[in-house]
PDB file of all heavy atoms in Angstrom:
ATOM      1  N   ALA A  24       0.832  -1.059 -20.733  1.00  0.00           N
ATOM      2  CA  ALA A  24       2.058  -0.699 -21.438  1.00  0.00           C
ATOM      3  C   ALA A  24       1.924   0.704 -22.019  1.00  0.00           C
ATOM      4  O   ALA A  24       0.818   1.177 -22.294  1.00  0.00           O
ATOM      5  CB  ALA A  24       2.330  -1.704 -22.549  1.00  0.00           C
ATOM      6  N   SER A  25       3.042   1.374 -22.201  1.00  0.00           N
ATOM      7  CA  SER A  25       3.023   2.713 -22.785  1.00  0.00           C
ATOM      8  C   SER A  25       2.408   2.659 -24.180  1.00  0.00           C
ATOM      9  O   SER A  25       2.808   1.846 -25.016  1.00  0.00           O
ATOM     10  CB  SER A  25       4.450   3.266 -22.866  1.00  0.00           C
ATOM     11  OG  SER A  25       4.448   4.540 -23.468  1.00  0.00           O
ATOM     12  N   GLY A  26       1.390   3.497 -24.398  1.00  0.00           N
ATOM     13  CA  GLY A  26       0.721   3.537 -25.688  1.00  0.00           C
ATOM     14  C   GLY A  26      -0.357   2.492 -25.877  1.00  0.00           C
ATOM     15  O   GLY A  26      -1.031   2.486 -26.914  1.00  0.00           O
ATOM     16  N   GLU A  27      -0.532   1.594 -24.915  1.00  0.00           N
ATOM     17  CA  GLU A  27      -1.551   0.554 -25.038  1.00  0.00           C
ATOM     18  C   GLU A  27      -2.941   1.169 -24.920  1.00  0.00           C
ATOM     19  O   GLU A  27      -3.192   2.025 -24.071  1.00  0.00           O
ATOM     20  CB  GLU A  27      -1.355  -0.507 -23.951  1.00  0.00           C
ATOM     21  CG  GLU A  27      -2.229  -1.736 -24.125  1.00  0.00           C
ATOM     22  CD  GLU A  27      -1.895  -2.825 -23.116  1.00  0.00           C
ATOM     23  OE1 GLU A  27      -1.114  -2.555 -22.166  1.00  0.00           O
ATOM     24  OE2 GLU A  27      -2.393  -3.946 -23.278  1.00  0.00           O
ATOM     25  N   ALA A  28      -3.855   0.734 -25.765  1.00  0.00           N
ATOM     26  CA  ALA A  28      -5.193   1.306 -25.810  1.00  0.00           C
ATOM     27  C   ALA A  28      -6.051   0.817 -24.646  1.00  0.00           C
ATOM     28  O   ALA A  28      -5.921  -0.329 -24.199  1.00  0.00           O
ATOM     29  CB  ALA A  28      -5.864   0.958 -27.129  1.00  0.00           C
ATOM     30  N   PHE A  29      -6.900   1.694 -24.159  1.00  0.00           N
ATOM     31  CA  PHE A  29      -7.867   1.317 -23.130  1.00  0.00           C
ATOM     32  C   PHE A  29      -9.057   2.268 -23.197  1.00  0.00           C
ATOM     33  O   PHE A  29      -8.981   3.358 -23.764  1.00  0.00           O
ATOM     34  CB  PHE A  29      -7.245   1.353 -21.725  1.00  0.00           C
ATOM     35  CG  PHE A  29      -7.007   2.749 -21.197  1.00  0.00           C
ATOM     36  CD1 PHE A  29      -7.943   3.360 -20.358  1.00  0.00           C
ATOM     37  CD2 PHE A  29      -5.855   3.458 -21.523  1.00  0.00           C
ATOM     38  CE1 PHE A  29      -7.721   4.645 -19.865  1.00  0.00           C
ATOM     39  CE2 PHE A  29      -5.639   4.734 -21.036  1.00  0.00           C
ATOM     40  CZ  PHE A  29      -6.573   5.334 -20.206  1.00  0.00           C
ATOM     41  N   THR A  30     -10.169   1.828 -22.623  1.00  0.00           N
ATOM     42  CA  THR A  30     -11.344   2.688 -22.460  1.00  0.00           C
ATOM     43  C   THR A  30     -11.682   2.743 -20.985  1.00  0.00           C
ATOM     44  O   THR A  30     -11.321   1.841 -20.215  1.00  0.00           O
ATOM     45  CB  THR A  30     -12.562   2.152 -23.248  1.00  0.00           C
ATOM     46  OG1 THR A  30     -12.913   0.850 -22.756  1.00  0.00           O
ATOM     47  CG2 THR A  30     -12.260   2.069 -24.737  1.00  0.00           C
ATOM     48  N   ALA A  31     -12.362   3.816 -20.584  1.00  0.00           N
ATOM     49  CA  ALA A  31     -12.732   3.970 -19.171  1.00  0.00           C
ATOM     50  C   ALA A  31     -14.096   4.614 -19.069  1.00  0.00           C
ATOM     51  O   ALA A  31     -14.460   5.467 -19.887  1.00  0.00           O
ATOM     52  CB  ALA A  31     -11.696   4.802 -18.434  1.00  0.00           C
ATOM     53  N   GLN A  32     -14.835   4.184 -18.080  1.00  0.00           N
ATOM     54  CA  GLN A  32     -16.129   4.780 -17.744  1.00  0.00           C
ATOM     55  C   GLN A  32     -16.101   5.176 -16.276  1.00  0.00           C
ATOM     56  O   GLN A  32     -15.670   4.389 -15.425  1.00  0.00           O
ATOM     57  CB  GLN A  32     -17.283   3.800 -17.993  1.00  0.00           C
ATOM     58  CG  GLN A  32     -17.526   3.488 -19.459  1.00  0.00           C
ATOM     59  CD  GLN A  32     -18.145   4.659 -20.191  1.00  0.00           C
ATOM     60  OE1 GLN A  32     -19.031   5.343 -19.679  1.00  0.00           O
ATOM     61  NE2 GLN A  32     -17.674   4.915 -21.401  1.00  0.00           N
ATOM     62  N   THR A  33     -16.542   6.382 -15.978  1.00  0.00           N
ATOM     63  CA  THR A  33     -16.653   6.828 -14.584  1.00  0.00           C
ATOM     64  C   THR A  33     -17.932   6.268 -13.996  1.00  0.00           C
ATOM     65  O   THR A  33     -19.022   6.511 -14.518  1.00  0.00           O
ATOM     66  CB  THR A  33     -16.678   8.360 -14.498  1.00  0.00           C
ATOM     67  OG1 THR A  33     -15.494   8.881 -15.093  1.00  0.00           O
ATOM     68  CG2 THR A  33     -16.761   8.819 -13.050  1.00  0.00           C
ATOM     69  N   LEU A  34     -17.813   5.512 -12.922  1.00  0.00           N
ATOM     70  CA  LEU A  34     -18.990   4.963 -12.255  1.00  0.00           C
ATOM     71  C   LEU A  34     -19.555   6.030 -11.337  1.00  0.00           C
ATOM     72  O   LEU A  34     -18.851   6.561 -10.478  1.00  0.00           O
ATOM     73  CB  LEU A  34     -18.632   3.695 -11.490  1.00  0.00           C
ATOM     74  CG  LEU A  34     -18.048   2.562 -12.357  1.00  0.00           C
ATOM     75  CD1 LEU A  34     -17.822   1.318 -11.523  1.00  0.00           C
ATOM     76  CD2 LEU A  34     -18.946   2.250 -13.543  1.00  0.00           C
ATOM     77  N   VAL A  35     -20.809   6.343 -11.506  1.00  0.00           N
ATOM     78  CA  VAL A  35     -21.450   7.437 -10.782  1.00  0.00           C
ATOM     79  C   VAL A  35     -22.020   6.930  -9.465  1.00  0.00           C
ATOM     80  O   VAL A  35     -22.578   5.837  -9.392  1.00  0.00           O
ATOM     81  CB  VAL A  35     -22.559   8.078 -11.645  1.00  0.00           C
ATOM     82  CG1 VAL A  35     -23.268   9.192 -10.882  1.00  0.00           C
ATOM     83  CG2 VAL A  35     -21.978   8.612 -12.941  1.00  0.00           C
ATOM     84  N   GLY A  36     -21.916   7.739  -8.420  1.00  0.00           N
ATOM     85  CA  GLY A  36     -22.554   7.394  -7.159  1.00  0.00           C
ATOM     86  C   GLY A  36     -21.662   7.520  -5.951  1.00  0.00           C
ATOM     87  O   GLY A  36     -22.132   7.753  -4.850  1.00  0.00           O
ATOM     88  N   GLY A  37     -20.331   7.386  -6.137  1.00  0.00           N
ATOM     89  CA  GLY A  37     -19.437   7.478  -4.990  1.00  0.00           C
ATOM     90  C   GLY A  37     -19.230   8.914  -4.554  1.00  0.00           C
ATOM     91  O   GLY A  37     -19.190   9.821  -5.384  1.00  0.00           O
ATOM     92  N   VAL A  38     -19.094   9.119  -3.249  1.00  0.00           N
ATOM     93  CA  VAL A  38     -18.866  10.471  -2.731  1.00  0.00           C
ATOM     94  C   VAL A  38     -17.425  10.658  -2.266  1.00  0.00           C
ATOM     95  O   VAL A  38     -16.974  11.788  -2.110  1.00  0.00           O
ATOM     96  CB  VAL A  38     -19.826  10.804  -1.565  1.00  0.00           C
ATOM     97  CG1 VAL A  38     -21.268  10.704  -2.011  1.00  0.00           C
ATOM     98  CG2 VAL A  38     -19.569   9.904  -0.359  1.00  0.00           C
ATOM     99  N   SER A  39     -16.713   9.579  -2.059  1.00  0.00           N
ATOM    100  CA  SER A  39     -15.390   9.699  -1.443  1.00  0.00           C
ATOM    101  C   SER A  39     -14.240   9.734  -2.446  1.00  0.00           C
ATOM    102  O   SER A  39     -13.107   9.985  -2.067  1.00  0.00           O
ATOM    103  CB  SER A  39     -15.160   8.553  -0.462  1.00  0.00           C
ATOM    104  OG  SER A  39     -15.128   7.320  -1.142  1.00  0.00           O
ATOM    105  N   GLY A  40     -14.535   9.475  -3.718  1.00  0.00           N
ATOM    106  CA  GLY A  40     -13.463   9.466  -4.691  1.00  0.00           C
ATOM    107  C   GLY A  40     -13.960   9.128  -6.073  1.00  0.00           C
ATOM    108  O   GLY A  40     -15.165   9.097  -6.333  1.00  0.00           O
ATOM    109  N   ASP A  41     -13.010   8.877  -6.968  1.00  0.00           N
ATOM    110  CA  ASP A  41     -13.329   8.513  -8.343  1.00  0.00           C
ATOM    111  C   ASP A  41     -13.227   7.004  -8.497  1.00  0.00           C
ATOM    112  O   ASP A  41     -12.298   6.367  -7.979  1.00  0.00           O
ATOM    113  CB  ASP A  41     -12.354   9.189  -9.309  1.00  0.00           C
ATOM    114  CG  ASP A  41     -12.508  10.702  -9.314  1.00  0.00           C
ATOM    115  OD1 ASP A  41     -13.658  11.170  -9.417  1.00  0.00           O
ATOM    116  OD2 ASP A  41     -11.485  11.409  -9.187  1.00  0.00           O
ATOM    117  N   VAL A  42     -14.179   6.437  -9.222  1.00  0.00           N
ATOM    118  CA  VAL A  42     -14.171   5.010  -9.508  1.00  0.00           C
ATOM    119  C   VAL A  42     -14.364   4.845 -11.011  1.00  0.00           C
ATOM    120  O   VAL A  42     -15.346   5.338 -11.575  1.00  0.00           O
ATOM    121  CB  VAL A  42     -15.293   4.267  -8.750  1.00  0.00           C
ATOM    122  CG1 VAL A  42     -15.190   2.765  -9.001  1.00  0.00           C
ATOM    123  CG2 VAL A  42     -15.235   4.561  -7.257  1.00  0.00           C
ATOM    124  N   TRP A  43     -13.405   4.166 -11.653  1.00  0.00           N
ATOM    125  CA  TRP A  43     -13.456   3.986 -13.096  1.00  0.00           C
ATOM    126  C   TRP A  43     -13.473   2.503 -13.458  1.00  0.00           C
ATOM    127  O   TRP A  43     -12.732   1.698 -12.877  1.00  0.00           O
ATOM    128  CB  TRP A  43     -12.236   4.630 -13.755  1.00  0.00           C
ATOM    129  CG  TRP A  43     -12.124   6.108 -13.567  1.00  0.00           C
ATOM    130  CD1 TRP A  43     -12.935   7.073 -14.076  1.00  0.00           C
ATOM    131  CD2 TRP A  43     -11.106   6.805 -12.829  1.00  0.00           C
ATOM    132  NE1 TRP A  43     -12.505   8.318 -13.710  1.00  0.00           N
ATOM    133  CE2 TRP A  43     -11.371   8.189 -12.947  1.00  0.00           C
ATOM    134  CE3 TRP A  43      -9.991   6.398 -12.096  1.00  0.00           C
ATOM    135  CZ2 TRP A  43     -10.573   9.158 -12.352  1.00  0.00           C
ATOM    136  CZ3 TRP A  43      -9.194   7.359 -11.495  1.00  0.00           C
ATOM    137  CH2 TRP A  43      -9.484   8.720 -11.626  1.00  0.00           C
ATOM    138  N   HIS A  44     -14.313   2.160 -14.401  1.00  0.00           N
ATOM    139  CA  HIS A  44     -14.311   0.812 -14.990  1.00  0.00           C
ATOM    140  C   HIS A  44     -13.436   0.873 -16.232  1.00  0.00           C
ATOM    141  O   HIS A  44     -13.769   1.560 -17.202  1.00  0.00           O
ATOM    142  CB  HIS A  44     -15.744   0.397 -15.336  1.00  0.00           C
ATOM    143  CG  HIS A  44     -15.836  -0.951 -15.993  1.00  0.00           C
ATOM    144  ND1 HIS A  44     -16.944  -1.360 -16.709  1.00  0.00           N
ATOM    145  CD2 HIS A  44     -14.951  -1.982 -16.059  1.00  0.00           C
ATOM    146  CE1 HIS A  44     -16.741  -2.575 -17.178  1.00  0.00           C
ATOM    147  NE2 HIS A  44     -15.544  -2.975 -16.797  1.00  0.00           N
ATOM    148  N   VAL A  45     -12.319   0.176 -16.201  1.00  0.00           N
ATOM    149  CA  VAL A  45     -11.323   0.259 -17.261  1.00  0.00           C
ATOM    150  C   VAL A  45     -11.288  -1.051 -18.054  1.00  0.00           C
ATOM    151  O   VAL A  45     -11.268  -2.142 -17.473  1.00  0.00           O
ATOM    152  CB  VAL A  45      -9.921   0.560 -16.671  1.00  0.00           C
ATOM    153  CG1 VAL A  45      -8.858   0.516 -17.755  1.00  0.00           C
ATOM    154  CG2 VAL A  45      -9.927   1.915 -15.972  1.00  0.00           C
ATOM    155  N   LYS A  46     -11.279  -0.912 -19.374  1.00  0.00           N
ATOM    156  CA  LYS A  46     -11.130  -2.054 -20.270  1.00  0.00           C
ATOM    157  C   LYS A  46      -9.873  -1.831 -21.111  1.00  0.00           C
ATOM    158  O   LYS A  46      -9.740  -0.808 -21.774  1.00  0.00           O
ATOM    159  CB  LYS A  46     -12.342  -2.196 -21.185  1.00  0.00           C
ATOM    160  CG  LYS A  46     -13.639  -2.497 -20.461  1.00  0.00           C
ATOM    161  CD  LYS A  46     -14.797  -2.655 -21.454  1.00  0.00           C
ATOM    162  CE  LYS A  46     -16.095  -2.950 -20.734  1.00  0.00           C
ATOM    163  NZ  LYS A  46     -17.229  -3.102 -21.695  1.00  0.00           N
ATOM    164  N   ILE A  47      -8.984  -2.799 -21.045  1.00  0.00           N
ATOM    165  CA  ILE A  47      -7.724  -2.714 -21.771  1.00  0.00           C
ATOM    166  C   ILE A  47      -7.785  -3.650 -22.977  1.00  0.00           C
ATOM    167  O   ILE A  47      -8.399  -4.720 -22.917  1.00  0.00           O
ATOM    168  CB  ILE A  47      -6.543  -3.082 -20.859  1.00  0.00           C
ATOM    169  CG1 ILE A  47      -6.491  -2.121 -19.660  1.00  0.00           C
ATOM    170  CG2 ILE A  47      -5.214  -3.053 -21.612  1.00  0.00           C
ATOM    171  CD1 ILE A  47      -5.448  -2.478 -18.623  1.00  0.00           C
TER     172      ILE A  47
END
Side-chain angles (χ1 to χ4, degrees):
S25 178
E27 189 174 10
F29 73 96
T30 61
Q32 292 288 319
T33 302
L34 301 184
V35 178
V38 301
S39 65
D41 294 312
V42 184
W43 298 292
H44 178 198
V45 175
K46 296 181 180 180
I47 300 174

